[in-house]
Amino acid sequence: MAPSRSRMTLLPLLAAASLLPSSSWAFDCKEVAASGVHFDFSKLGGPHIVHWEDEDLVHEMQYKYNFTVDICQKLQWDKGGSQATECHHGARVCAIREDVNLAMDRNSTITPIDIAGTYKSYNGRDIDAKFELLRKSESNSDAGREGIRAVLNGGRFPFDDKKSGIDQRAIIEFVCDKKRTGLEGDEKDNGDKEDDNDDDDKKEEKLRRREESSKGKCEDSDASLRFCGYQQEDGAKDKKIQTLRLEWRTEYACEDAPPPDGGSHWGFFGWFFIIFFLAIATYLIFGSWLNYNRYGARGWELLPHGDTIRDIPYIAKDFARKVVGTVQGGGSRGGYAAV
Ligand SMILES: *[C@@H]1O[C@H](CO)[C@@H](O)[C@H](O)[C@H]1NC(C)=O
Ligand SMILES: *[C@@H]1O[C@H](CO)[C@@H](O)[C@H](O)[C@H]1NC(C)=O
């Protein structure tokens, strides 16, 4: 064997590694990670809505917000939706604000506000998702909480106003709660309410709720996904960022959460075997081609280590004979063991 050929075994491995999925453009709700801890939020996918009402008594206006979040994919427009009533394509967090004029016979207008998303086809703004474990957070109020905080960017309002548009973002805290899937009290996009049917937990639930509402500033609600604020906050470089804060209590935010679907464990081994066989195949093909071109090899000689491969049946036979011999030998000795 020429020594030059053993060096190329690495090449197919490298080639196969570059085929692995990468998630640089956005984030994958199945594979959210911070500080080496992984979470799978795929069960929380789909559009979920929270509401908020605000009033401006000076101007006699009332603002009714519907915030829609889909952490797994971009939001879909309703049938017959238009840019006047929907966020731009690519939004994952969207607010629909209804401005009610209390003075003028309560007539109202609808204003969509892009809060977070990846808007490739508009202005290139990106969701630029950032994740942080609550227990690694510097804030005191996070002490003793288990879960992960997601910061999702990309929005602006007015969306097309580069100069005076106000940047938007959503900060979602996924908090570990082993008793919740995260869909309790959920309101789907179509306005249906899922009913709470675990009565036995009601009392405990109320106690817990009181405890929590005294601690946090989130709305007092039994729903797993809760509104915690929508205000201007200071961002980098003294820029104001209108920030939607949500809290999502769910078992999937627990660090020891079981994977939602049992089938995903062998993902690593699946990849391992695919790469392994690709590597072997590439090695054999490329090696044969080299042997053919360089040495004019034919038949068995084409394969790298062709002589070894050809010998495998004999080696196997030899091995089998030895094993059989040992077993038979052991059997005859077993004769006196039985005495
Ligand atoms: C209410 O209606 C008037 C007249 O139709 C309109 O000019 C005004 O913008 C409306 N106000 C709101 C808050 O939609
Ligand atoms: C907000 O949601 C409620 C309930 O789902 C719905 O009745 C209302 O029309 C929505 N408002 C807007 C502005 O979409």
Side-chain angles (χ1 to χ4, degrees):
M1 281 287 128
S4 62
R5 247 170 291 164
S6 60
R7 221 174 287 153
M8 52 178 230
T9 41
L10 259 183
L11 276 177
L13 267 178
L14 290 177
S18 67
L19 294 174
L20 286 169
S22 101
S23 54
S24 54
W25 52 276
F27 73 96
D28 181 359
C29 64
K30 259 191 179 149
E31 186 55 54
V32 170
S35 308
V37 184
H38 293 249
F39 301 90
D40 183 340
F41 292 139
S42 51
K43 285 283 194 298
L44 304 179
H48 299 284
I49 303 183
V50 296
H51 303 278
W52 181 51
E53 283 185 18
D54 195 19
E55 265 177 22
D56 177 353
L57 292 178
V58 176
H59 299 100
E60 296 192 66
M61 291 293 289
Q62 185 188 33
Y63 302 104
K64 294 178 171 175
Y65 291 87
N66 286 3
F67 299 98
T68 310
V69 182
D70 189 338
I71 56 162
C72 287
Q73 57 176 336
K74 56 187 188 175
L75 295 165
Q76 308 293 316
W77 279 15
D78 283 336
K79 275 201 193 97
S82 74
Q83 204 70 78
T85 56
E86 309 267 0
C87 282
H88 293 77
H89 289 297
R92 289 216 205 181
V93 184
C94 172
I96 304 294
R97 190 183 73 192
E98 186 181 2
D99 305 0
V100 184
N101 192 332
L102 298 176
M104 294 197 53
D105 224 10
R106 300 187 68 88
N107 74 344
S108 72
T109 55
I110 298 287
T111 310
I113 301 174
D114 283 276
I115 294 183
T118 298
Y119 303 99
K120 280 220 182 89
S121 51
Y122 296 98
N123 49 20
R125 288 169 70 88
D126 196 273
I127 195 162
D128 190 20
K130 300 242 167 43
F131 301 98
E132 174 192 39
L133 287 187
L134 296 179
R135 63 178 164 85
K136 294 258 162 127
S137 156
E138 280 161 18
S139 160
N140 282 333
S141 55
D142 288 332
R145 294 167 89 210
E146 183 179 337
I148 188 170
R149 176 184 294 112
V151 182
L152 311 179
N153 305 280
R156 183 165 60 197
F157 180 75
F159 191 70
D160 296 316
D161 193 340
K162 222 172 185 172
K163 249 197 194 140
S164 55
I166 294 175
D167 283 348
Q168 309 277 316
R169 71 176 172 189
I171 298 183
I172 308 175
E173 292 182 353
F174 298 89
V175 181
C176 170
D177 187 333
K178 294 204 160 88
K179 292 211 171 122
R180 292 171 177 273
T181 62
L183 302 177
E184 290 80 7
D186 177 54
E187 199 179 313
K188 290 276 182 209
D189 209 8
N190 55 22
D192 289 341
K193 286 219 172 180
E194 213 175 74
D195 33 37
D196 250 320
N197 45 9
D198 37 7
D199 286 317
D200 36 338
D201 283 339
K202 273 272 159 67
K203 225 181 195 170
E204 200 183 336
E205 185 66 47
K206 261 192 193 130
L207 261 177
R208 194 144 48 111
R209 179 156 53 122
R210 206 170 302 149
E211 219 172 82
E212 278 171 6
S213 61
S214 64
K215 195 162 67 182
K217 46 195 174 1
C218 296
E219 71 175 322
D220 187 12
S221 159
D222 272 342
S224 289
L225 176 62
R226 297 195 294 179
F227 172 83
C228 305
Y230 182 54
Q231 282 172 342
Q232 282 196 13
E233 299 181 6
D234 290 324
K237 294 180 213 142
D238 279 340
K239 234 181 145 189
K240 295 279 181 211
I241 306 184
Q242 186 101 17
T243 305
L244 168 67
R245 286 182 178 269
L246 301 173
E247 181 193 71
W248 208 327
R249 293 172 288 175
T250 170
E251 60 180 337
Y252 299 116
C254 302
E255 292 189 17
D256 55 356
D261 46 357
S264 60
H265 309 282
W266 69 282
F268 168 76
F269 289 100
W271 275 107
F272 181 79
F273 280 112
I274 287 173
I275 290 172
F276 185 70
F277 283 113
L278 270 180
I280 288 183
T282 315
Y283 176 70
L284 289 180
I285 291 168
F286 192 56
S288 305
W289 176 79
L290 263 188
N291 281 348
Y292 179 83
N293 274 298
R294 279 213 197 142
Y295 310 107
R298 295 288 182 278
W300 275 111
E301 287 177 345
L302 268 177
L303 292 177
H305 307 294
D307 33 4
T308 316
I309 295 176
R310 197 177 28 190
D311 284 346
I312 284 177
Y314 301 102
I315 295 172
K317 216 182 270 173
D318 230 40
F319 180 73
R321 207 175 293 145
K322 259 182 206 156
V323 170
V324 169
T326 312
V327 170
Q328 279 174 343
S332 62
R333 233 174 276 141
Y336 75 72
V339 170

PDB file of all heavy atoms in Angstrom, residues 61 99-102 104 106-110, ligand 1:
ATOM      1  N   MET A  61     -58.439  58.241  24.630  1.00  0.00           N
ATOM      2  CA  MET A  61     -58.228  57.101  23.742  1.00  0.00           C
ATOM      3  C   MET A  61     -58.067  55.829  24.573  1.00  0.00           C
ATOM      4  O   MET A  61     -57.529  55.852  25.688  1.00  0.00           O
ATOM      5  CB  MET A  61     -56.944  57.296  22.907  1.00  0.00           C
ATOM      6  CG  MET A  61     -57.024  58.402  21.872  1.00  0.00           C
ATOM      7  SD  MET A  61     -58.206  57.986  20.582  1.00  0.00           S
ATOM      8  CE  MET A  61     -57.319  56.686  19.756  1.00  0.00           C
ATOM      9  N   ASP A  99     -57.274  51.171  18.203  1.00  0.00           N
ATOM     10  CA  ASP A  99     -57.351  52.485  18.835  1.00  0.00           C
ATOM     11  C   ASP A  99     -58.810  52.903  18.900  1.00  0.00           C
ATOM     12  O   ASP A  99     -59.430  53.151  17.871  1.00  0.00           O
ATOM     13  CB  ASP A  99     -56.591  53.533  18.005  1.00  0.00           C
ATOM     14  CG  ASP A  99     -55.151  53.130  17.758  1.00  0.00           C
ATOM     15  OD1 ASP A  99     -54.748  52.041  18.224  1.00  0.00           O
ATOM     16  OD2 ASP A  99     -54.437  53.886  17.086  1.00  0.00           O
ATOM     17  N   VAL A 100     -59.321  52.967  20.127  1.00  0.00           N
ATOM     18  CA  VAL A 100     -60.731  53.322  20.276  1.00  0.00           C
ATOM     19  C   VAL A 100     -60.829  54.769  20.733  1.00  0.00           C
ATOM     20  O   VAL A 100     -60.251  55.145  21.759  1.00  0.00           O
ATOM     21  CB  VAL A 100     -61.415  52.402  21.312  1.00  0.00           C
ATOM     22  CG1 VAL A 100     -62.900  52.710  21.393  1.00  0.00           C
ATOM     23  CG2 VAL A 100     -61.182  50.947  20.960  1.00  0.00           C
ATOM     24  N   ASN A 101     -61.533  55.535  19.975  1.00  0.00           N
ATOM     25  CA  ASN A 101     -61.719  56.941  20.324  1.00  0.00           C
ATOM     26  C   ASN A 101     -62.928  57.068  21.241  1.00  0.00           C
ATOM     27  O   ASN A 101     -64.077  56.973  20.808  1.00  0.00           O
ATOM     28  CB  ASN A 101     -61.933  57.747  19.047  1.00  0.00           C
ATOM     29  CG  ASN A 101     -61.849  59.229  19.308  1.00  0.00           C
ATOM     30  OD1 ASN A 101     -62.151  59.690  20.411  1.00  0.00           O
ATOM     31  ND2 ASN A 101     -61.448  59.979  18.298  1.00  0.00           N
ATOM     32  N   LEU A 102     -62.663  57.280  22.540  1.00  0.00           N
ATOM     33  CA  LEU A 102     -63.750  57.281  23.515  1.00  0.00           C
ATOM     34  C   LEU A 102     -64.662  58.480  23.312  1.00  0.00           C
ATOM     35  O   LEU A 102     -65.838  58.448  23.657  1.00  0.00           O
ATOM     36  CB  LEU A 102     -63.167  57.293  24.935  1.00  0.00           C
ATOM     37  CG  LEU A 102     -62.324  56.064  25.279  1.00  0.00           C
ATOM     38  CD1 LEU A 102     -61.713  56.206  26.664  1.00  0.00           C
ATOM     39  CD2 LEU A 102     -63.156  54.801  25.203  1.00  0.00           C
ATOM     40  N   MET A 104     -65.228  60.112  20.289  1.00  0.00           N
ATOM     41  CA  MET A 104     -65.958  60.109  19.029  1.00  0.00           C
ATOM     42  C   MET A 104     -66.761  58.822  18.818  1.00  0.00           C
ATOM     43  O   MET A 104     -66.453  58.036  17.923  1.00  0.00           O
ATOM     44  CB  MET A 104     -64.995  60.316  17.863  1.00  0.00           C
ATOM     45  CG  MET A 104     -64.376  61.711  17.916  1.00  0.00           C
ATOM     46  SD  MET A 104     -63.652  62.171  16.370  1.00  0.00           S
ATOM     47  CE  MET A 104     -64.955  61.915  15.208  1.00  0.00           C
ATOM     48  N   ARG A 106     -66.777  56.071  20.051  1.00  0.00           N
ATOM     49  CA  ARG A 106     -65.995  54.835  20.097  1.00  0.00           C
ATOM     50  C   ARG A 106     -65.652  54.288  18.711  1.00  0.00           C
ATOM     51  O   ARG A 106     -65.563  53.084  18.535  1.00  0.00           O
ATOM     52  CB  ARG A 106     -66.729  53.752  20.900  1.00  0.00           C
ATOM     53  CG  ARG A 106     -66.997  54.138  22.353  1.00  0.00           C
ATOM     54  CD  ARG A 106     -67.553  52.961  23.115  1.00  0.00           C
ATOM     55  NE  ARG A 106     -66.566  51.911  23.277  1.00  0.00           N
ATOM     56  CZ  ARG A 106     -65.703  51.854  24.287  1.00  0.00           C
ATOM     57  NH1 ARG A 106     -65.720  52.761  25.214  1.00  0.00           N
ATOM     58  NH2 ARG A 106     -64.847  50.863  24.372  1.00  0.00           N
ATOM     59  N   ASN A 107     -65.467  55.158  17.744  1.00  0.00           N
ATOM     60  CA  ASN A 107     -65.007  54.595  16.468  1.00  0.00           C
ATOM     61  C   ASN A 107     -63.543  54.186  16.614  1.00  0.00           C
ATOM     62  O   ASN A 107     -62.829  54.708  17.458  1.00  0.00           O
ATOM     63  CB  ASN A 107     -65.250  55.552  15.297  1.00  0.00           C
ATOM     64  CG  ASN A 107     -64.287  56.714  15.274  1.00  0.00           C
ATOM     65  OD1 ASN A 107     -63.628  56.989  16.271  1.00  0.00           O
ATOM     66  ND2 ASN A 107     -64.226  57.395  14.143  1.00  0.00           N
ATOM     67  N   SER A 108     -63.121  53.277  15.833  1.00  0.00           N
ATOM     68  CA  SER A 108     -61.785  52.729  16.083  1.00  0.00           C
ATOM     69  C   SER A 108     -61.049  52.410  14.792  1.00  0.00           C
ATOM     70  O   SER A 108     -61.647  52.246  13.730  1.00  0.00           O
ATOM     71  CB  SER A 108     -61.887  51.467  16.937  1.00  0.00           C
ATOM     72  OG  SER A 108     -62.421  50.407  16.193  1.00  0.00           O
ATOM     73  N   THR A 109     -59.721  52.360  14.912  1.00  0.00           N
ATOM     74  CA  THR A 109     -58.878  51.954  13.791  1.00  0.00           C
ATOM     75  C   THR A 109     -57.972  50.814  14.243  1.00  0.00           C
ATOM     76  O   THR A 109     -57.732  50.639  15.435  1.00  0.00           O
ATOM     77  CB  THR A 109     -57.985  53.110  13.305  1.00  0.00           C
ATOM     78  OG1 THR A 109     -57.248  53.595  14.429  1.00  0.00           O
ATOM     79  CG2 THR A 109     -58.810  54.232  12.704  1.00  0.00           C
ATOM     80  N   ILE A 110     -57.494  50.062  13.278  1.00  0.00           N
ATOM     81  CA  ILE A 110     -56.617  48.923  13.552  1.00  0.00           C
ATOM     82  C   ILE A 110     -55.201  49.275  13.116  1.00  0.00           C
ATOM     83  O   ILE A 110     -54.983  49.789  12.017  1.00  0.00           O
ATOM     84  CB  ILE A 110     -57.087  47.682  12.768  1.00  0.00           C
ATOM     85  CG1 ILE A 110     -58.499  47.273  13.197  1.00  0.00           C
ATOM     86  CG2 ILE A 110     -56.105  46.537  12.934  1.00  0.00           C
ATOM     87  CD1 ILE A 110     -58.577  46.639  14.549  1.00  0.00           C
TER      88      ILE A 110
HETATM   89  C1  LIG B   1     -63.053  58.383  13.971  1.00  0.00           C
HETATM   90  O1  LIG B   1     -63.760  58.779  12.822  1.00  0.00           O
HETATM   91  C2  LIG B   1     -63.289  60.001  12.277  1.00  0.00           C
HETATM   92  C3  LIG B   1     -64.223  60.399  11.159  1.00  0.00           C
HETATM   93  O2  LIG B   1     -64.664  59.251  10.485  1.00  0.00           O
HETATM   94  C4  LIG B   1     -61.868  59.883  11.814  1.00  0.00           C
HETATM   95  O3  LIG B   1     -61.398  61.090  11.268  1.00  0.00           O
HETATM   96  C5  LIG B   1     -61.006  59.496  13.004  1.00  0.00           C
HETATM   97  O4  LIG B   1     -59.686  59.267  12.574  1.00  0.00           O
HETATM   98  C6  LIG B   1     -61.551  58.268  13.667  1.00  0.00           C
HETATM   99  N1  LIG B   1     -60.841  58.037  14.878  1.00  0.00           N
HETATM  100  C7  LIG B   1     -60.227  56.912  15.132  1.00  0.00           C
HETATM  101  C8  LIG B   1     -59.517  56.795  16.413  1.00  0.00           C
HETATM  102  O5  LIG B   1     -60.223  56.003  14.342  1.00  0.00           O
END
